[in-house]
Structure formats: C-alpha cells, structure tokens
C-alpha cells in the first residue's frame, strides 16, 4: 500500500503558499484572523476511525491527500517543519525545493535523537513568538502524543496558546479549488442518486403495499447500496467517467424518521419503529475522495392543508437562505433573512419552531462550526466556499391529526451549495426535488386533478413592426422604384443614433487592449501518458522489436537496447519503402515549424527544445514492416477521428435529472413526431410535461428529456400556409439524441388531407363536383384550426410549467417574413418577438435578436434581383450568419424591420470577406472600436455611390457629338413614323385594356429606359 502513496507536489505547494500568504496578509493588517500567533501546531496521533474528520485530519488531507499518523507539523509564516517516521519521510522528501522551505525531522528507535528533534521544535516555537496556535478541540492519543506532551510541558508556561481553528477554516479549508469542488459535486450526485432513485422508490413501494418495515431495516437496505457499483453506473444524474465507488463512504446516516419521533441534528439515528405513512424525514451524506455532501428531504403522505402550508413556508425560507448566500454576505444575514421571511408570512408563530442553526461549512469536515449559519456569526462568505443549508421546523402541533402518530411532526430540508461571485449559489443536490409536487404523495385522492390556470395572452406586436409596412403588390408595373423618402430619412436618422450607441458601447466594453493572438484562440498544450508504470508495457517489448499497442494508443520502439514508448499523438505519419533485400520504415514525429499550411497550429510545451524529427528502421522482414506501417496509419486515423468526435461534442452538456410528476397524470400530447428523429426513423410518440422539463416517448420506449433550465426559446408555429403544426424548442446547450448532438428539438404533427382520406366513404358515392370539394375545404379549415388550438394550448401549458425560467411562447409573424437561403435551400424566414427563425425545413435557423451586434446588407445595387444579409454577433468569436438570395422586393420591409427592433444595419454593393474581418476584430477589439468600429461598413457604401456618380459623368456627351448622333439617327431611321404610330395606338389600347404580350413589351422598354441592361452588361465587363 505504501508504494501507492503519491503526493501531488504542485497542489501541496500551491495550497501551502496560499495559506502562508493569508497569514502574512493578516499580520500586516490587524491580526484579526490569526490572533498574532508566530507558529501553529497540528498534531496527529495514532489512526482512529471515528468517521468524522477533526481539523488535524482535514489539514493532512488538504495538503497531502493522505493521513499521516504519528506526525507533528509546525507551521510558521516562512517554513513548515514535519516530525515523522522513516517510512512517511520517504514520501515527504519529494516536497522539498518548493516556494516554502520544508524541514523534515525523522524519528527512529534512538530515543535521544528523538528528544533532540522535539527540542529543535520547541526552540522554533520560542523564536517564532510568544503566541502559538493549537487545536484544543481535537482529541488524539498514542505513544507519540504522550512523548510530545511531556516535552512540550517544559515550555507551556512560557507561551500563550491560541485556538487557531477559525484561521485554519477560513484561510485553508473553506474556499475550495476546482478539484475539491469536482469531488464534492460527484459526492452530491451520488447522494441525490441514492435519495431519488432508490429511497423514494423503496418508500413508495412500502407505503403503497402497506408493508411493515422498520426505519432501521430501511436504512440498512440503503447502506448496502454502496456495495453495488452498477447502481451508480446507471444513475440518471450521470457521474464523471472516472468515478470510483471504492472511495465512497457514509458520513451522515442514512437516517429515516417518521411517526412523531424526529431529530433534525446530525447525530440522529434510525430507530426500530415501523415506517409510518405521514411525515417522513430522510437524510444521508456521502464522502467521496475525502469530500462530503449532505441531502435531506421531507415527504408528506396525504397531508392536510396546515401541513402543506407549513411545508411551503419552510421551502420559501430555505430558498431565501440559499438566494441570500452570495460572496460578501455575512453569515448571520442568511439566518436573519430566514426569520424575516417567517415573520412576514401568514404564519409568524412558526418562528419559535425554526431551528437555531440552519447549517454550516462542509467539505473535508462534515460540519465546520466556524461557518455555522446562525444569528451571531458575522463571518463573510467568499467565492468557492461550500455550505450545507439545513432548514427545519421542529415539534409542530397538528390541528387535524390523521392518527395518533401524527399529533406532532417536524419538517426539514438540507442541501449542499457552493458560493459564487455575482450570482446565485450552485446547489449541488438539486437533483433531489423539494417542491410540493415532488414530496407530497396522495394515496386517498388519486383521481383529483388540479384546475387549469388561466394563461395571459402575449402581445403579438412586441418586437415587430406593423403589417402596414409590408408591400402587398407583386406587379412590376405597380412596384415603386424608390422608397418612401420620409421613411428612409427617418430610418437614416435612427440608424445614426444606433451606430453611435454601438460605437460607445464597444469603446466602453473593450476599454483595454485584449484579444486573441492573430485573431485565433490559442490552443493549449496537451500531455499524453502511455504507461504509468513499467509493468504496464506489453510483454512483446522484451524481444526489442517494434510493438504497436492499440489499447494504449502507443508505439514502442527499440532504441539503443531499450523499449521507448511514443504516444500516437506525437507521431505525424509512417511510411515504408523497399531497397534491395531490405524494407525501411520511417516514422515522422510532430515538431515545431514542420508545416506551412493552416493545420500547423500544434502547440508545444517548449518550442525551443530539441526535437526528434524522424526515426528509420531497417529489416529483412518486408511483410512485417508493411503490417507495422499499416497499423501505425490506422492507429493515427483512429486517434484523429476520436479527437474530432471529442471536439464536436465539447459543447454538449450533461443535463440534470428530469423530475417526473408522481401524484397525477402529466399533461401530454399524443401522435407526435420529433425532429431530429431518433435512430433516423420516423416513429410517432407522445410529449409529456413534467415538473422540471419535457419528455418525449416513442412507441418503442425511447426517450428524449428536455429540462426547462436548458430551454432558451420556445416557439409555436401554426399550420396556416404550412403542411405541419409545430412546437419547437431551441436549447441553450446541445443534448445527445441517439448518436448526434442537437440544439433544436421539434415536435410536430402533419395537417394534410393524407391523414384524413375519405376514399370509399358512403358520402363520396352520392356527392359530386363542387359540393364535395367545398365540404372538404371547410372540413380541412376546421381541422387545421382545431389542431392549432390544441398545440397552442399545450405550448402555453409548457410555459406555465416553466414560469420561473423567464421565457414564454414565441409565435412567428408570417406577414413580416421573407424568402432567403440561410443554409442550402431557399426557405421562408419569419421574425418573432425575440428571434428570426426558419422552423419548417431542417436544418433549422434560430437567431436570437439580443445576441446580434450589427446587420449588413450585401449586393445592394440597382439591377440585381437579390441581395444578401449578414448578422454579426456580439460574441465576436462566433462566425457571422449569412442569409443569401433575398428578393430585392423585400429590401425595404427588411430595413424597416431591422430598424424597428433597434438593430444597426448598413448596406454595400459587394460581398465582404467576413472571415478576415472577424479575425482582425478578435485580434484587438479595443483598437477596432478605437479606429471607428463598424463605421467602415457605411463608409464603403458611400465610396461606392461616389464611384458610380463619377462613372456616370464620364459618359456625358458633348453638343457636337449629340448633333452627329441626331443626323445619323435621321438617316438610319426608316421606321420612325410607323413606330410612333404603333406607340400611339398602344397608348390607346392601354386605356381600353392591354393584353399580356403588350404589357411584357412595355416592361422591357421601361427596363431599357431605366438602364437595367446597361448596368448588367457593365458589371459583366468589370468582372
């Protein structure tokens, strides 16, 4: 076991340095935390398995990752002295040479030498100052302790002992780093997994079947779950891939209480009474890799109104405490907030039942009293601190007891949280739902259904322009050639204000020169490890031959009589050539400066170091060389493919668990298809609304869960002018559907006649012609209206279920839509109150308007029938979105829409290279806005207008040229009279009514007069 001890030197020195820095900073101020101590004693005796950690144990785990029994640590602001045995000293030797000096004194069998070590420690304590920090509440024993107490007794009268417990908590243990937080998060997920996926199911089964099971028997059953690794592998709240169940241990409970006997303290135990169908309090806590978490919930079985009301009050108090827990808040403010919520409620008398302490610090210690949540603790919370919040009402009298055991009851909720800067704390145990819908079980009135709530109607004109701005005509003769001058002037003025505002915001946001080097986010150097120990090498390496180890993704090469492993990520390629009787295998390695293309961005830890470019091996075994070259090539391809898959799934997040509705049937919509389809198959299913999200289940049993917290936008698109009716969910973070990630999930049903074919119906035999067609049209309109109403109501029910998330149902404004090509096909884009969307054809398009920085209209010039639109996002690292080939008839409506939603836009005659532009911006946003920001887009369009004017003036004819042209036209015009006659007759016919051929001729003539053909030919010459 001793060989497996590996102390992380980097973590040790970082934590020790932060501790001594806090000590020195406290000395420079007023010694408020360390009380002016010159040295600190942390004493550890023999190993005693007490379950709960003391401060000395916690300090050992915090610095070393292990407990070192029979060890003395003496901390000073400038050094650390350790007295320990020979075996432990071997593991500590590697810690020397860091920022803080470490002195290790090794104890042996020589008692005189041991006494000298203690004397040196006592001299260190004397010279460091009169005050010495100790841990008076820690209890430890053993021969080593007795020997130290005897030596320390000689100077105990000369020094002043100070309780250093608060300083160790605040300066060392309270604020957790990322590794510690990850361990706590895993611990919390395991705790909530046992609570929700085992205890609740077990409790429900016992109550439903009215079994006689004692609290002790139930907790023993929960206890045995730690011995089932498969249970944790199959948890819905997924644990990290390297989760090790061997490092799980109980630190609190499990405790189950019911039947009138309740104890909300951490020392509570389960008794031998049977589980009672009333108020049930269950709590448990787990330690994972030395870090702990706790969770407790109260479950109410057939509660009366008073019990439900009291629980709702407790839940509001609990949520108020958590919301108040922010960086900079005093701990007593959390408790006082809870009391104020109770006093301002309808039941202020519940204050006397509220617990005196509502939690404390948690981490390496199960409960850190230094951070106890009570009315007197004035300590300030910091980012990275972790607490357990335990709210409760004790000994409440039940005015309408259901039975003898329900006369008095208690209520309790416990969660583990992490303090964050400028935002609400992260609740590690939120996987165990605590809302009334999840904790109340009704076995007597199961058929009672809640009344539907009234929905507030949303103003359809929010974020959009009036329908009068849309041009209805499609006839070219009636089309206005110029925009309304008044509207254009108003838009120009408004756009100047928006551009000025954008410029000021950009300068304020990027007030300093910050950006990516060369406009590209720099890659981080990755370390790859083939083998941790020598015994992991393949057995074939003994033959000193080239070995391709596919399992470890490693090539083992024989170099100077030794097998040397090279990870496949260090190899560029391998090639094999034949010369005579020999085959040559050349292996090329990655090194700086090799490539000159775009892919030459491989980071290196030290690019100035010496690198091996290639190795060449010669062999007579040609077939083996062929095989090795092929194996290396395939291994490299697989490694590249894995990296690409990993990169593609980087933004896929792990959702929390969906909390199902238990005490009633969930609202559902059946006969629904989903896009993207699971496994590529189009199978119908049903959508259900649960407490914290949606669940889609098809007829095969496959599921898709969508949490409300991960929903960014919810859309309802009616089937008017469409073949399907849609409820579309746009997510904040992608989820996995089958083997593919998806950021948009769509539920739809077809609204076509194919679903309702009446062929062969009796009515069809006796009805013919227009009567039947008219009836079918009426039926289809009625069916579509009913379908829209059904889907809209369901979308509003989703909004009601997610009322705390801050989003609602968004409906596209079809009258504001326009055609365009956002991806591959020409589709109909439609604005909504918050977005610009295309939901009919995949791939879907959803652009959030609040995330758009500016819009630029490209190819806007006379003579072109289409233009393009580019949206640049406020996140400059996000590539701009192009919507191409928009009909020029939509130009004015698009401008009006952009202006009405306060998006700054510009226009130009050419397509711009946005990749280069965005790279320039991200390289130095500060300089970009300093140089004028987006004004360069407007200046380009102005310059183009000037160029057009200059080109037009260059072709003006002189009077002599005009005279010559008149003479030539008179000589060559043989049909002028006839033409003028035709023209006159044509005008007469127009007044009487023109046919299509004449209208087409007139349109062509009008185009020629407007210079349309000249413009087109001029552009072809320029290109």
């Amino acid at each position: 076991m001793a060989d497996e001890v590996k102390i992380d030197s980097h973590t040790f020195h970082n934590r020790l340095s932060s501790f001594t820095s806090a000590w020195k900073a406290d000395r420079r101020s007023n010694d408020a935390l360390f009380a002016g101590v010159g040295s600190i004693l942390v004493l550890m005796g023999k190993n005693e398995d007490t379950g709960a950690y003391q401060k000395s144990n916690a300090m050992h785990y915090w610095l070393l990752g292990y407990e070192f029994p029979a060890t003395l640590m003496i901390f000073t602001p400038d050094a650390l002295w350790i007295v320990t045995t020979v075996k432990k000293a071997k593991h500590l030797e590697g810690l020397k040479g860091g920022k803080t000096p470490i002195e290790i004194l090794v104890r042996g069998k020589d008692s005189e030498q041991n006494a000298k070590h203690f004397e040196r420690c006592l001299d260190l304590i004397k010279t460091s100052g009169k005050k010495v920090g100790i841990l008076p509440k820690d209890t430890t024993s053993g021969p080593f302790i007795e020997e130290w107490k005897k030596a320390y007794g000689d100077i105990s009268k000369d020094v002043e002992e100070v309780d250093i417990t608060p300083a160790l908590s605040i300066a060392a243990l309270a604020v957790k780093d990322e590794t510690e937080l990850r361990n706590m998060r895993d611990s919390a997920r395991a705790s909530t997994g046992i609570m929700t996926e085992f205890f609740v199911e077990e409790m429900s089964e016992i109550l439903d079947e009215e079994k006689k099971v004692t609290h002790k028997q139930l907790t023993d059953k929960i206890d045995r779950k730690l011995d089932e690794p498969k249970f944790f592998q199959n948890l819905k709240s997924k644990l990290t891939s390297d989760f090790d169940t061997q490092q799980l241990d109980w630190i609190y409970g499990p405790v189950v209480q019911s039947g009138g006997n309740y104890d909300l303290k951490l020392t509570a135990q389960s008794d031998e009474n049977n589980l009672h169908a009333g108020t049930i309090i269950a709590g448990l806590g787990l330690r994972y890799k030395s870090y702990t978490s706790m969770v407790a919930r109260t479950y109410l079985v057939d509660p009366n109104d008073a019990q439900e009301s009291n629980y709702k009050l407790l839940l509001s108090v609990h949520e108020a405490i958590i919301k108040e827990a922010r960086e900079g808040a005093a701990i007593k403010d959390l408790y006082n907030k809870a009391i104020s919520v109770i006093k301002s409620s309808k039941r202020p008398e519940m204050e006397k039942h509220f617990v005196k302490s509502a939690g404390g610090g948690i981490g390496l210690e199960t409960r850190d009293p230094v951070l106890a949540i009570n009315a007197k603790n004035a300590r300030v919370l910091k980012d990275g601190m972790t607490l357990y919040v335990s709210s409760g009402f004790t000994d409440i009298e039940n005015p309408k007891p259901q039975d003898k055991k329900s006369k008095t009851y208690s209520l309790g909720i416990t969660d583990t949280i992490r303090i964050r800067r400028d935002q609400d704390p992260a609740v590690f145990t939120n996987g165990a739902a605590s809302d009334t819908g999840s904790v109340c079980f009704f076995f007597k009135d199961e058929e009672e259904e809640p009344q539907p709530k009234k929905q507030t109607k949303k103003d359809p004109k929010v974020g959009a322009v009036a329908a009068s701005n849309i041009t209805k005509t499609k006839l070219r003769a009636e089309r206005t050639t110029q925009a309304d001058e008044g509207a254009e002037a108003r838009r120009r003025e408004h756009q100047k204000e928006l551009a000025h505002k954008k410029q000021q915001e950009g300068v304020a946001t990027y007030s300093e020169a910050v950006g990516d080097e060369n406009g590209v986010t720099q890659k981080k150097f990755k370390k790859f490890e083939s083998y941790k120990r020598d015994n992991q090498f393949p057995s074939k390496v003994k033959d000193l031959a080239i070995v391709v180890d596919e399992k470890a993704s490693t090539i083992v090469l024989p170099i100077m009589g030794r097998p040397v492993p090279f990870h496949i990520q260090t190899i560029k390629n391998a090639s094999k050539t034949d010369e005579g009787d020999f085959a040559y295998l050349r292996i090329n390695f990655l090194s700086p400066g090799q490539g000159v293309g775009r892919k030459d961005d491989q980071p290196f830890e030290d690019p100035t170091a010496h690198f091996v470019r290639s190795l060449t091996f010669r062999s007579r075994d040609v077939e083996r060389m062929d095989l090795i070259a092929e194996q290396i090539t395939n291994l490299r391809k697989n490694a590249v493919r894995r990296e690409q898959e990993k990169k593609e799934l980087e933004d896929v997040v792990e959702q929390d668990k969906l909390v199902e509705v238990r005490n009633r049937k969930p609202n559902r919509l059946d006969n629904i298809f989903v896009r993207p389809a699971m496994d590529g198959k189009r199978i119908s299913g049903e959508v259900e609304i649960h407490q914290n999200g949606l669940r889609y289940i098809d007829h095969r049993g496959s599921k898709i869960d969508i949490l409300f917290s991960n929903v960014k936008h919810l859309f309802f698109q009616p089937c008017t002018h469409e073949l399907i009716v849609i409820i579309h969910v746009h997510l904040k973070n992608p989820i996995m559907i089958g083997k593919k990630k998806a950021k948009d999930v769509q539920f739809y049903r077809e609204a076509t006649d194919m679903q309702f074919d009446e062929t062969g119906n009796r009515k069809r035999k006796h009805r013919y012609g227009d009567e039947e067609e008219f009836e079918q049209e009426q039926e289809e309109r009625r069916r579509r209206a009913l379908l829209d109403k059904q889907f809209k109501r369901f979308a509003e029910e989703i909004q009601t279920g997610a009322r705390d998330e801050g989003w609602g149902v968004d409906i596209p404004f079809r009258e504001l839509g326009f055609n365009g090509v956002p991806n591959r096909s020409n589709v109909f884009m439609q604005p909504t109150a918050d977005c610009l969307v295309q939901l009919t054809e995949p791939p879907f398009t959803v652009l959030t308007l609040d995330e758009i920085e500016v819009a630029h209209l490209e190819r806007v010039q006379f003579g072109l029938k289409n233009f393009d639109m580019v949206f640049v996002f406020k996140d400059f690292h996000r590539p701009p979105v192009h919507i191409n080939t928009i009909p020029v008839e939509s130009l004015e409506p698009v401008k009006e829409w952009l202006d009405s939603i306060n998006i700054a836009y510009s226009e130009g005659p050419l397509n711009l290279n946005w990749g280069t532009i965005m790279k320039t911006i991200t390289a130095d946003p500060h300089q970009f806005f300093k140089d004028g920001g987006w004004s360069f887009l407007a200046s380009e369009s102005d310059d183009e207008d000037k160029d057009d004017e200059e080109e037009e003036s260059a072709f003006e004819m002189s009077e002599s040229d005009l005279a010559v042209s008149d003479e030539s036209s008179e000589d060559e015009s043989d049909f002028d009279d006839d033409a003028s006659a035709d023209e006159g007759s044509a005008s007469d016919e127009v007044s009487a009514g023109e046919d299509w051929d004449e209208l087409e001729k007139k349109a062509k003539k009008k185009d020629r007069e407007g210079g349309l053909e000249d413009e087109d030919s001029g552009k072809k010459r320029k290109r």
Side-chain angles (χ1 to χ4, degrees), residues 41-43 55-56 133-138 162-165 168:
L41 299 182
V42 176
L43 196 61
K55 275 288 184 291
S56 53
I134 62 169
L135 301 170
K137 295 183 180 179
D138 278 21
V162 177
D163 185 359
I164 204 66
T165 303
L168 296 186

Side-chain angles (χ1 to χ4, degrees), residues 188-470:
R189 287 178 178 176
S191 299
T192 55
I194 292 177
M195 177 69 78
T196 58
E197 298 183 36
F198 179 74
F199 170 74
V200 173
E201 299 296 332
E202 197 72 20
M203 177 190 70
S204 301
E205 183 181 340
I206 293 170
L207 297 176
D208 194 28
E209 299 178 9
E210 298 182 355
K211 294 180 180 179
K212 301 295 182 183
V213 178
T214 66
H215 299 144
K216 189 71 170 62
Q217 289 172 336
L218 183 54
T219 53
D220 289 344
K221 208 168 183 180
I222 300 170
D223 193 357
R224 290 193 290 272
K225 276 294 163 184
L226 288 195
D227 301 325
E228 299 179 20
K230 287 186 178 179
F231 172 78
F232 294 98
Q233 293 172 6
N234 299 326
L235 284 179
K236 294 179 182 177
S237 53
K238 295 295 183 182
L239 301 167
T240 52
S241 56
D242 58 346
F243 186 82
D244 184 7
T245 55
Q246 297 297 319
Q247 300 202 50
L248 275 176
D249 195 12
W250 292 107
I251 53 99
Y252 165 52
V255 181
V256 179
Q257 305 174 75
S258 67
N261 298 321
Y262 303 98
D263 183 2
L264 300 186
K265 297 178 182 178
L266 295 181
T267 54
Q269 299 288 331
S270 298
D271 57 30
E272 296 291 344
N273 295 325
N274 288 335
L275 185 69
H276 174 253
T279 302
I280 302 172
I281 300 179
L284 55 90
L286 287 174
R287 172 181 288 131
Y288 178 68
K289 292 184 179 180
S290 305
Y291 288 87
T292 61
S293 67
M294 283 192 289
V295 61
R297 293 290 182 264
T298 299
Y299 297 96
L300 304 173
V301 181
D302 294 321
N304 55 40
D305 292 341
Q307 289 176 309
E308 257 194 284
S309 177
N310 287 334
Y311 182 82
K312 288 179 180 177
L313 175 59
L314 178 64
L315 186 61
S316 64
V317 170
H318 187 73
E319 290 173 348
I321 294 175
I322 293 177
K323 194 170 184 179
E324 192 74 13
R326 292 171 175 261
E327 184 180 39
I331 295 179
K332 63 181 181 181
D333 292 343
L334 277 61
Y335 191 86
N336 293 334
K337 179 67 174 179
I339 298 299
S340 67
V341 171
I342 297 172
K343 287 182 176 179
S344 61
S345 69
K346 295 180 181 179
R347 306 179 70 87
E349 68 276 7
M350 295 299 294
E351 181 187 352
K352 63 183 179 182
H353 297 284
F354 192 64
V355 292
K356 301 302 179 185
S357 177
I362 192 170
L364 285 167
E365 298 173 279
T366 307
R367 180 181 183 274
D368 189 350
V370 175
L371 300 177
I373 302 175
N374 54 42
K376 298 180 181 179
N377 195 342
R379 301 198 182 278
V380 177
L381 296 175
K382 297 179 181 178
D383 179 28
M385 286 185 173
T386 51
L387 307 172
Y388 76 93
V389 179
S390 184
S391 310
F393 291 134
T394 59
D395 302 326
I396 310 169
E397 291 187 7
N398 191 351
K400 297 180 181 179
Q402 293 87 339
D403 50 45
K404 292 181 180 179
K405 293 185 177 182
S406 302
K407 291 182 179 179
T408 60
Y409 64 96
S410 297
L411 302 171
I413 307 172
T414 301
D415 279 302
T416 303
I417 67 171
R418 174 246 166 126
I419 308 301
R420 295 191 289 189
R421 182 178 289 111
D422 299 329
Q423 55 182 319
D424 291 342
V427 183
F428 288 159
T429 50
N430 60 358
S434 56
D435 58 288
T436 52
S438 301
V439 302
C440 294
F441 294 83
F442 297 93
F443 292 97
K444 295 179 181 177
D445 301 317
E446 290 182 347
E447 297 180 358
E448 215 172 302
E449 290 289 339
Q451 295 181 354
K453 296 183 179 179
K454 293 182 179 180
Q455 299 294 327
T456 56
K457 291 186 178 180
K458 192 172 182 180
D459 185 3
K461 294 185 179 181
V462 175
V465 296
S468 59
N469 292 317
I470 306 303

Side-chain angles (χ1 to χ4, degrees), residues 836-897:
L836 176 65
V837 300
Q838 184 282 120
L839 308 177
T840 307
E841 296 183 22
F844 309 115
T845 302
V846 179
L847 302 179
T848 306
L849 301 179
D850 288 340
E851 296 176 356
I852 294 174
E853 175 80 2
V854 294
H856 183 64
L857 310 179
E858 300 180 329
R859 297 195 302 117
V860 178
Q861 52 183 312
F862 183 73
L864 295 184
K865 296 180 180 180
N866 303 299
F867 69 96
D868 305 331
M869 181 160 52
V870 181
F871 289 108
V872 181
F873 296 98
K874 294 176 181 177
D875 179 7
F876 295 149
H877 291 91
R878 186 175 169 185
V881 169
H882 297 250
I883 301 177
N884 301 323
T885 324
I886 304 172
V888 74
E889 291 81 12
S890 301
L891 179 60
E892 289 303 313
V894 166
K895 286 183 181 180
E896 187 65 27
W897 169 67

Side-chain angles (χ1 to χ4, degrees), residues 493-548:
E493 192 64 30
H494 187 218
Q495 285 299 313
K496 285 181 181 179
E497 295 175 6
L498 292 177
H500 181 66
K501 185 179 178 182
K502 284 290 178 189
Q503 176 65 16
Q504 287 182 328
E505 289 176 355
V507 171
T509 304
Y510 302 99
S511 56
E512 297 178 359
V514 291
D516 302 327
E517 189 177 343
N518 297 327
V520 180
T521 305
Q522 297 301 303
K523 292 187 177 181
K524 294 182 179 179
F525 173 73
K526 291 183 181 180
K527 288 187 177 180
F528 299 97
E529 190 175 37
S530 297
Y531 308 106
K532 291 184 178 181
R533 293 181 293 274
D534 293 345
N535 58 7
Q536 293 179 338
F537 275 87
S539 57
K540 296 179 181 179
V541 300
K542 296 178 181 178
D543 302 332
L544 289 179
I546 300 175
V547 178
V548 180

Side-chain angles (χ1 to χ4, degrees), residues 82-90 92-93 96 103-110 113-114 117 120:
I82 303 175
V83 182
T84 189
T85 59
V86 178
K87 289 185 179 180
K88 301 182 187 74
K90 290 180 180 178
L92 298 172
E93 284 293 333
K96 289 184 176 181
E103 185 71 28
I104 300 175
L105 305 179
V106 182
R107 286 172 53 82
K109 296 181 180 180
D110 189 347
Q113 186 67 27
N114 295 341
H117 290 333
R120 291 184 64 186

